[in-house]
Amino acid sequence: MDQHVVADARRGDTSAFEALVVDHHQRLFRVASGILRDPHLAEDATQQAFLDIWRNLPRLRDPAKFEAWSYRVLVRACHAEVKRRPGWVPDSDVRLTAVPVAADEFRAVVQRDQLERGFRHLSVDHRTVIVLHHLLDMTMETVAETLDIPVGTAHSRLDRAMRALRAAMQQPIARTSPEARREVAP
Amino acid sequence: MSDQMTPEVREWMKRTEVPPPDSRQSAREVMDRLPTVRRRKRWWPFPVFYQKPQPPPSPSGTSESEPGPILATDGQIPTVTWRTQTMFSPAKAIIAGALVFAVGGAFLVAQRFDQQGPDLAGAEAFEDYAPAVAIDGQILWIDGCPTTPQTFDVGDAIHTRDFVYCAQTLVNDERLNGETRMDGAWDDWPDGAGVVRGTFTINNDEGTWEGPLAGVSRNSTQDDWDAILMLTGTGAYDGLSATLFFGSNATVQGTLYDSRLEPDR
């Protein structure tokens, strides 16, 4: 990351800021999409995060910390996005389908659907830890440093989130979609 | 147990990733909205202690973006012998502050020495005061405490009232160990801010410690917070106070001391 660009944007250079947006958009969108499970909400949250970054950039003392700081701004934008749309349903490509499929494939689809549902019931903070650790492959120490929380808190969030996902996975398939199950039954 | 889930979750997350929209288009949309955003001023009013990284020198020895030095008429590079930096220096400011503090402190100490002697009121009584103890330990939350918190929204804020938590305090001074209870209320906001207020009580066979608590959370799930307790002893602990600081990692630190030495007395 070019600290000159961050320093210039901090001073109010809009062309430097535009370069920052182009450079970091994909990185932040990836995290927002992982947290919100909806590309439209993720894009809204990412753009809002960039506006918040522009607003608060003069308060960032060390440009070297821009990347971690921008993740925290993004997580706040995701919080706001969820709050603004109570009862939202993630628009995921992976949906339980009524089209007959092979049993193993069907099981995999059901499994992903259960994960999706379990994930949706997690708080944004818990989802964030899962995304940073499992999608971006950050170590837990880096996750804690990025989110500015103690390592123990990061571990407890991940543990709690994984337990919730495991509970969601253990729900019987019949409860997920009886109709779809009937279609693949022999 | 969670380890068994890890490969499945990783595979699911990576398989369901969606391609990002065009970054340049997104940047244009962000830039269009930029004039509506009012920038905040920085909290730190002084120059940042950040050394701007120097760009790599070009092969000719000068930066491509910056012109080289202007040669003097005799062909030499002119040497500036007077001030080349801003008049403000953080180091100078700190040294100046320390000097002011030291000089002021010396005056105060001198005045204090003048007042010392047999006539100083209460001087002898200090020997009777209970010695202060530095407290270090844990507050371990336990299940099974009856609680029926009320939660309701007011605007953006979520108010929680009448919560009760039970715990066991286990520190390096037995006088503070015992069954612990925290009654109170908290408010939290979606951006992660939160405040908690309440009453903290520790009971054991010898007496009771009770006092207010005030804390702040750092996230909306309330699992990352710090609080301060100002406890007053009764029973065998009458005349003693304890000011403690504890946080979500369950550690507690503070001081147990004679109540006559409360700073506000």
Side-chain angles (χ1 to χ4, degrees):
Chain A
M1 187 197 57
D2 191 346
Q3 293 178 33
H4 292 287
V5 180
V6 177
D8 289 345
R10 188 177 59 185
R11 280 194 296 272
D13 183 340
T14 51
S15 56
F17 182 70
E18 186 168 7
L20 262 189
V21 177
V22 172
D23 287 349
H24 294 269
H25 176 269
Q26 198 165 335
R27 173 176 66 85
L28 293 186
F29 174 84
R30 191 178 182 210
V31 173
S33 171
I35 293 171
L36 297 170
R37 314 297 302 162
D38 182 310
H40 305 296
L41 293 189
E43 176 61 6
D44 286 351
T46 307
Q47 289 197 12
Q48 186 55 49
F50 277 119
L51 294 173
D52 292 341
I53 286 171
W54 172 252
R55 179 182 295 114
N56 292 302
L57 201 51
R59 291 184 174 182
L60 177 69
R61 284 195 214 167
D62 184 357
K65 294 183 177 166
F66 175 79
E67 191 169 318
W69 177 71
S70 64
Y71 279 131
R72 292 196 289 276
V73 175
L74 178 74
V75 171
R76 282 200 294 273
C78 290
H79 266 293
E81 204 62 42
V82 169
K83 186 82 178 175
R84 198 158 44 234
R85 293 173 168 83
W88 61 275
V89 178
D91 178 20
S92 169
D93 293 331
V94 182
R95 286 317 184 96
L96 202 61
T97 171
V99 177
V101 290
D104 285 350
E105 197 179 333
F106 171 73
R107 194 178 303 281
V109 172
V110 167
Q111 208 170 50
R112 289 201 294 272
D113 186 76
Q114 285 174 315
L115 274 173
E116 194 79 57
R117 286 162 193 266
F119 193 80
R120 188 178 54 176
H121 285 99
L122 300 177
S123 72
V124 169
D125 288 326
H126 289 101
R127 288 181 225 170
T128 303
V129 175
I130 287 189
V131 168
L132 295 183
H133 184 58
H134 288 316
L135 183 64
L136 301 194
D137 296 323
M138 284 185 184
T139 64
M140 290 310 288
E141 288 72 23
T142 310
V143 169
E145 198 180 324
T146 301
L147 298 176
D148 198 20
I149 57 176
V151 178
T153 304
H155 274 291
S156 73
R157 282 186 197 174
L158 182 67
D159 185 56
R160 215 177 296 176
M162 294 299 278
R163 268 188 284 157
L165 285 183
R166 186 158 48 84
M169 293 288 290
Q170 286 171 348
Q171 284 184 347
I173 291 174
R175 285 178 61 192
T176 310
S177 175
E179 300 79 14
R181 198 182 183 206
R182 268 200 299 277
E183 290 203 22
V184 292
Chain B
M1 296 284 265
S2 295
D3 288 345
Q4 297 167 3
M5 285 286 298
T6 299
E8 289 174 36
V9 172
R10 278 176 190 262
E11 190 263 340
W12 165 71
M13 294 227 75
K14 292 186 177 173
R15 185 186 277 243
T16 56
E17 267 197 275
V18 291
D22 178 30
S23 295
R24 295 195 179 279
Q25 174 61 29
S26 298
R28 275 193 293 276
E29 289 174 20
V30 169
M31 297 310 288
D32 287 345
R33 293 165 66 189
L34 222 52
T36 63
V37 178
R38 187 173 176 184
R39 297 195 96 193
R40 290 187 175 155
K41 292 176 183 172
R42 64 182 184 216
W43 284 308
W44 186 244
F46 302 113
V48 287
F49 296 114
Y50 158 65
Q51 192 74 35
K52 186 177 180 180
Q54 296 300 314
S58 66
S60 64
T62 57
S63 166
E64 289 174 5
S65 59
E66 293 175 13
I70 299 169
L71 299 181
T73 50
D74 60 0
Q76 300 295 312
I77 298 173
T79 305
V80 181
T81 54
W82 192 234
R83 184 177 296 281
T84 59
Q85 296 175 327
T86 170
M87 288 179 67
F88 178 81
S89 155
K92 287 177 193 168
I94 291 168
I95 292 168
L99 280 173
V100 169
F101 190 78
V103 171
F107 277 117
L108 290 174
V109 169
Q111 189 179 13
R112 185 73 186 160
F113 283 152
D114 290 340
Q115 291 177 355
Q116 284 187 351
D119 294 331
L120 182 61
E124 310 91 311
F126 284 130
E127 293 171 5
D128 302 331
Y129 281 24
V133 178
I135 299 299
D136 191 9
Q138 288 188 301
I139 293 177
L140 305 172
W141 301 109
I142 54 177
D143 292 331
C145 201
T147 177
T148 50
Q150 308 292 317
T151 301
F152 50 98
D153 293 349
V154 177
D156 261 1
I158 302 168
H159 295 255
T160 302
R161 297 290 179 266
D162 304 325
F163 74 76
V164 180
Y165 286 140
C166 287
Q168 196 74 27
T169 299
L170 198 61
V171 296
N172 58 333
D173 190 308
E174 284 186 0
R175 291 173 293 180
L176 273 168
N177 289 342
E179 290 179 6
T180 302
R181 180 182 164 110
M182 186 166 91
D183 300 74
W186 76 60
D187 296 338
D188 66 288
W189 289 266
D191 66 354
V195 292
V196 58
R197 296 283 175 88
T199 305
F200 201 91
T201 314
I202 302 172
N203 273 305
N204 59 32
D205 292 341
E206 306 296 322
T208 300
W209 298 90
E210 188 169 339
L213 79 93
V216 291
S217 74
R218 288 196 286 261
N219 62 43
S220 57
T221 53
Q222 303 286 321
D223 57 4
D224 187 13
W225 48 268
D226 294 300
I228 193 152
L229 316 171
M230 296 189 289
L231 306 179
T232 305
T234 53
Y237 313 128
D238 197 22
L240 291 175
S241 295
T243 300
L244 306 172
F245 185 73
F246 83 110
S248 45
N249 58 1
T251 58
V252 57
Q253 281 97 28
T255 308
L256 187 159
Y257 52 96
D258 196 301
S259 296
R260 287 171 289 180
L261 293 177
E262 284 284 11
D264 58 352
R265 287 195 175 181

